[in-house]
Amino acid sequence: MDPEELKKKIARGDCKVVDNTSSKLKSSVWEKFRVISDEESNIVKGFAACKTCLKVFVFDSRRCGTSSLRKHADTCAGNKLTRSIEQYLSKGTELKVPRRDDKDTITRLSVNFVCNDIRPFDAVHGEGFFALAQGLIDVGAKAGRVDVKQLLPDPTTVSRGVNKYAEKIRQELIPELKMQLEGGNGAVTLDMWTDDYRKTSYLCVTLHYINNKWELIERVLCTSEWDSSLRKTADNIKPAIISALRKFGIDEFYSKLVYVTDRGANIVAALRTVTRLSCAAHIFNTVLYTTFKPSQEDMYGEEVTAMIDSAKSLVTYFKQTSLQARLKKTLKNSVETRWNSLHTMLESISNQFEDIRTLLEERGEVDRLTNLDEEALSDFVAYLERFKEATKALEASKTPTLHLTIVWYERIRRHLRASSNDSNIISSLKEKCLSILQDKFDIHRLHRLAMFLHPKLKSMKLIADSSEVASVHSEMRRLVKDLKDKRGSPEEHCHHPPPEKRVRVSADTLSDVEDSNDEAPQYQDEVAAYIDHKTPKDDHFEILSWWQDHAHLFPNIAQIARSILAIPASSAASERDFSCAGYVIQERSQLKPSTVDDVLFLHSNLKHHHHK
């Protein structure tokens, strides 16, 4: 049957154009197309009809996807008319481009604002300010010229509004969080911190999950003040964590959540009865600083320590004198608890070494470079660069990271292999660092499962032991069976699914470790079908988009993926929260800890709240 014959049957009434109800046809193009049914209400496979002009098209999802349908939808005269009407009706709400003289006026007023009120330049930038400014313009458009002093709230009113609005959103979140966690889909990162201004301690608890739209969500639940009368022991930390979850009615899930933390003895002990993973970024940082501490068997330990100490002293000296102002870029200091700060410090010196030498020669103080050799600095920066790359990848917040833990562990191990180009110091450091890394780094079963759940890494070729790979397959089959048993669904065979469409969202570059399986399997169970599924070739690959598109093909594994891929590789969420907390407290040192908590809660959750 060809399209023309089918169109004649539709005209005669022998066939009907009906809405698509198949769960397999999820593309947005089906908003403009329908499927065709015969006289017995059976769907005529391989064809689709435009809702507007009823033109019939051949449709084969396995071979050509929906590209021909999309092309017609963009050019169909009926669709163009619909879009024209929609555009006409929405004209009144379109944002206009401001005139040049209006922009000049606002620039002048912005300068007045930051200077009169002593505000940072970026006070007129950011989503929150944009929303406020747009709201003021919209009010003026409706009401005409109004007295802004009467329109804007008093600071006390804003403060009270923060508390009320935070509590309102907390209550609105309760049903959503319960729904997400009931499927076993959730992880928590947590840490403790003391501010430098009032020496108040805080506990930060952040929840991570993948929602029904396959979006990775990160929500700060609390940055709560630690009771100063309590010691920070395991027996006190555990109840505090449960109390934070209880605010959202999710304390019943305490033992089902996966926790990602640093290796502080008190937090490790507090979470000894639940599943806990060590923050991978924190381990890399610890490995580096342990490597640089001199030991008896370390031939170059004192030399390395002298270089780092001299670098710190140099940065401090430049900041305390007028010399810093004469450099093109600011010299950065190193703080042990701040990831990658040693690399940042040495790089800031290395990149301006000649300028620094010139300035010191002018003052007759070149001896401050006694322990700082330009070539050695460059070698150190190159040595540390790989660790910086690993940390940046593992602390990402908008895409899953747990599957990258093994990837970066192996990349760092490769980086630490001896090279003929290495200096004696770098060669010695690599040997020492590799030993410490292998001693401190924990590879958990969840890391292996997460790696298997990345379609480009599912062959797990980075794991040399075939018995470990077989163990991952066995555990995945057990998890799939557990899901089926819960639903009471029978064991079912999976056909090899059709080739997937290309997804171009964000880069996930794994070319050095990814699979290259192009072979099509026959009939298998769900895990075997996933293993044999054609490996995506996209250079720009987004793992959550892939799972969203393939959830109907591997429904049980997809549910497991939602649970495991939500677990972050690092506790960077808490670090980010504490960085914001430091800024909030520095700018508004008189804020009560409970208000700091409310501000940081809203800062984290408002962006997700708007999607509801």
Side-chain angles (χ1 to χ4, degrees):
M1 187 182 302
D2 59 40
E4 285 302 317
E5 182 182 350
L6 201 52
K7 189 171 182 178
K8 290 176 183 177
K9 285 192 172 187
I10 294 172
R12 292 197 304 266
D14 296 336
C15 289
K16 295 180 180 180
V17 177
V18 297
D19 287 332
N20 160 47
T21 58
S22 171
S23 61
K24 293 184 178 181
L25 303 178
K26 296 184 175 181
S27 171
S28 60
V29 78
W30 292 104
E31 295 174 5
K32 303 286 175 62
F33 282 84
R34 292 178 176 173
V35 292
I36 301 165
S37 68
D38 58 21
E39 293 174 316
E40 297 178 357
S41 298
N42 296 316
I43 299 299
V44 181
K45 294 183 179 180
F47 294 94
C50 175
K51 286 184 178 181
T52 306
C53 67
L54 297 182
K55 185 173 181 179
V56 178
F57 291 84
V58 174
F59 168 69
D60 187 340
S61 61
R62 290 174 179 267
R63 294 183 180 178
C64 59
T66 58
S67 56
S68 62
L69 305 186
R70 288 185 184 280
K71 186 175 181 181
H72 174 75
D74 291 337
T75 58
C76 176
N79 288 334
K80 283 185 176 180
L81 177 61
T82 301
R83 285 197 296 270
S84 297
I85 294 172
E86 289 173 350
Q87 289 168 1
Y88 175 78
L89 292 175
S90 64
K91 261 187 177 179
T93 60
E94 286 183 359
L95 296 178
K96 297 179 180 178
V97 177
R99 297 180 306 175
R100 180 69 192 180
D101 56 340
D102 290 335
K103 289 189 69 173
D104 291 342
T105 299
I106 295 301
T107 299
R108 177 175 53 79
L109 291 173
S110 296
V111 170
N112 290 348
F113 164 59
V114 298
C115 295
N116 282 336
D117 295 355
I118 311 297
R119 294 288 184 264
F121 296 144
D122 61 3
V124 295
H125 194 81
E127 292 303 317
F129 180 80
F130 293 157
L132 170 62
Q134 189 65 57
L136 293 172
I137 291 172
D138 292 346
V139 168
K142 287 188 291 185
R145 186 175 171 81
V146 297
D147 185 350
V148 72
K149 291 181 180 179
Q150 294 187 43
L151 178 62
L152 288 174
D154 182 88
T156 303
T157 305
V158 175
S159 174
R160 291 171 182 165
V162 165
N163 303 141
K164 291 179 181 178
Y165 195 31
E167 189 55 36
K168 177 177 181 289
I169 293 184
R170 286 189 185 100
Q171 295 304 312
E172 291 176 353
L173 273 180
I174 290 175
E176 177 186 340
L177 299 187
K178 282 188 173 182
M179 178 188 70
Q180 297 295 340
L181 298 187
E182 279 171 357
N185 173 32
V188 165
T189 52
L190 58 92
D191 204 352
M192 302 190 76
W193 170 77
T194 301
D195 77 70
D196 292 331
Y197 300 92
R198 292 174 298 189
K199 304 303 177 185
T200 302
S201 294
Y202 293 86
L203 170 69
C204 175
V205 178
T206 306
L207 182 67
H208 307 256
Y209 60 88
I210 295 171
N211 65 17
N212 296 333
K213 297 179 181 178
W214 286 91
E215 298 168 324
L216 182 60
I217 304 297
E218 177 186 293
R219 293 187 183 276
V220 172
L221 298 186
C222 74
T223 313
S224 56
E225 180 185 15
W226 182 261
D227 187 342
S228 59
S229 67
L230 297 176
R231 295 176 59 204
K232 297 172 185 175
T233 62
D235 290 340
N236 291 328
I237 292 174
K238 179 179 177 179
I241 296 170
I242 295 174
S243 176
L245 299 178
R246 188 176 295 121
K247 279 186 179 181
F248 297 87
I250 55 175
D251 49 307
E252 62 184 287
F253 301 103
Y254 168 77
S255 61
K256 298 177 183 178
L257 293 165
V258 176
Y259 297 81
V260 180
T261 75
D262 63 23
R263 295 168 59 144
N266 53 351
I267 290 182
V268 171
L271 298 171
R272 61 183 177 274
T273 60
V274 296
T275 303
R276 190 199 69 84
L277 304 182
S278 294
C279 167
H282 184 267
I283 293 177
F284 281 135
N285 193 59
T286 302
V287 166
L288 278 179
Y289 275 93
T290 305
T291 300
F292 292 136
K293 288 180 180 178
S295 58
Q296 291 182 348
E297 65 277 6
D298 190 354
M299 187 182 303
Y300 300 98
E302 292 184 2
E303 193 172 337
V304 171
T305 302
M307 185 191 73
I308 294 173
D309 289 344
S310 292
K312 290 180 178 179
S313 297
L314 181 70
V315 172
T316 301
Y317 177 69
F318 266 66
K319 287 182 177 295
Q320 290 175 346
T321 64
S322 60
L323 293 178
Q324 175 62 79
R326 297 177 64 185
L327 290 176
K328 293 178 182 178
K329 294 185 178 180
T330 304
L331 294 180
K332 308 290 185 181
N333 220 327
S334 175
V335 181
E336 185 171 347
T337 56
R338 190 176 300 156
W339 302 337
N340 300 312
S341 64
L342 181 59
H343 171 275
T344 303
M345 177 183 73
L346 296 180
E347 185 179 47
S348 71
I349 297 172
S350 178
N351 289 344
Q352 304 178 94
F353 195 82
E354 287 303 320
D355 292 339
I356 292 170
R357 186 200 298 275
T358 300
L359 290 174
L360 291 175
E361 286 176 345
E362 290 177 3
R363 300 169 70 102
E365 297 179 331
V366 75
D367 58 310
R368 291 183 180 276
L369 297 176
T370 300
N371 296 313
L372 295 172
D373 176 75
E374 186 173 8
E375 185 177 347
L377 269 175
S378 180
D379 288 344
F380 263 78
V381 171
Y383 167 73
L384 294 170
E385 181 69 31
R386 202 60 167 158
F387 287 88
K388 179 182 178 180
E389 292 172 1
T391 304
K392 291 297 182 184
L394 295 169
E395 67 182 10
S397 63
K398 296 181 180 178
T399 184
T401 53
L402 192 65
H403 64 283
L404 294 173
T405 307
I406 295 177
V407 170
W408 276 104
Y409 172 71
E410 292 298 335
R411 282 174 174 171
I412 293 294
R413 285 184 63 192
R414 291 179 193 174
H415 174 62
L416 296 176
R417 291 174 184 166
S419 168
S420 58
N421 297 324
D422 291 339
S423 66
N424 290 335
I425 294 179
I426 295 297
S427 180
S428 175
L429 278 176
K430 282 186 174 182
E431 183 180 357
K432 182 179 179 182
C433 189
L434 181 59
S435 175
I436 296 170
L437 175 71
Q438 293 176 157
D439 177 59
K440 289 187 177 292
F441 212 94
D442 301 319
I443 300 295
H444 193 275
R445 66 179 184 86
L446 288 171
H447 293 132
R448 297 187 181 94
L449 287 170
M451 187 177 178
F452 176 71
L453 289 167
H454 193 295
K456 288 193 170 193
L457 302 174
K458 62 180 184 290
S459 73
M460 308 187 75
K461 67 180 183 181
L462 284 177
I463 298 179
D465 189 341
S466 59
S467 65
E468 287 187 11
V469 176
S471 177
V472 171
H473 295 172
S474 297
E475 180 156 14
M476 187 59 66
R477 286 189 170 92
R478 180 186 64 78
L479 292 172
V480 168
K481 183 178 183 300
D482 289 347
L483 281 177
K484 289 182 176 180
D485 289 344
K486 282 182 181 178
R487 292 196 300 263
S489 60
E491 186 71 26
E492 56 190 34
H493 291 286
C494 289
H495 296 272
H496 178 60
E500 62 276 7
K501 291 178 284 187
R502 295 178 68 82
V503 179
R504 296 188 179 276
V505 181
S506 62
D508 189 356
T509 306
L510 298 166
S511 57
D512 60 331
V513 294
E514 68 186 33
D515 303 342
S516 57
N517 176 23
D518 291 328
E519 299 180 8
Q522 302 301 316
Y523 301 94
Q524 298 107 351
D525 65 83
E526 187 172 325
V527 174
Y530 170 67
I531 293 170
D532 290 330
H533 185 74
K534 187 176 180 181
T535 302
K537 295 297 183 183
D538 305 64
D539 293 330
H540 300 275
F541 177 81
E542 211 289 310
I543 184 172
L544 295 185
S545 293
W546 190 94
W547 273 112
Q548 183 178 31
D549 291 343
H550 293 76
H552 66 287
L553 301 175
F554 311 112
N556 297 295
I557 302 179
Q559 187 171 337
I560 296 166
R562 269 188 68 194
S563 178
I564 293 178
L565 295 178
I567 304 167
S570 76
S571 58
S574 297
E575 301 294 334
R576 286 189 287 269
D577 184 60
F578 290 147
S579 178
C580 289
Y583 177 76
V584 169
I585 294 168
Q586 180 182 6
E587 290 293 306
R588 288 157 281 190
S589 59
Q590 300 304 312
L591 286 183
K592 295 185 295 184
S594 60
T595 304
V596 172
D597 185 15
D598 289 335
V599 168
L600 295 175
F601 171 78
L602 290 174
H603 174 72
S604 170
N605 287 278
L606 280 178
K607 55 182 175 286
H608 302 307
H609 189 71
H610 290 313
H611 292 315
K612 292 182 67 175

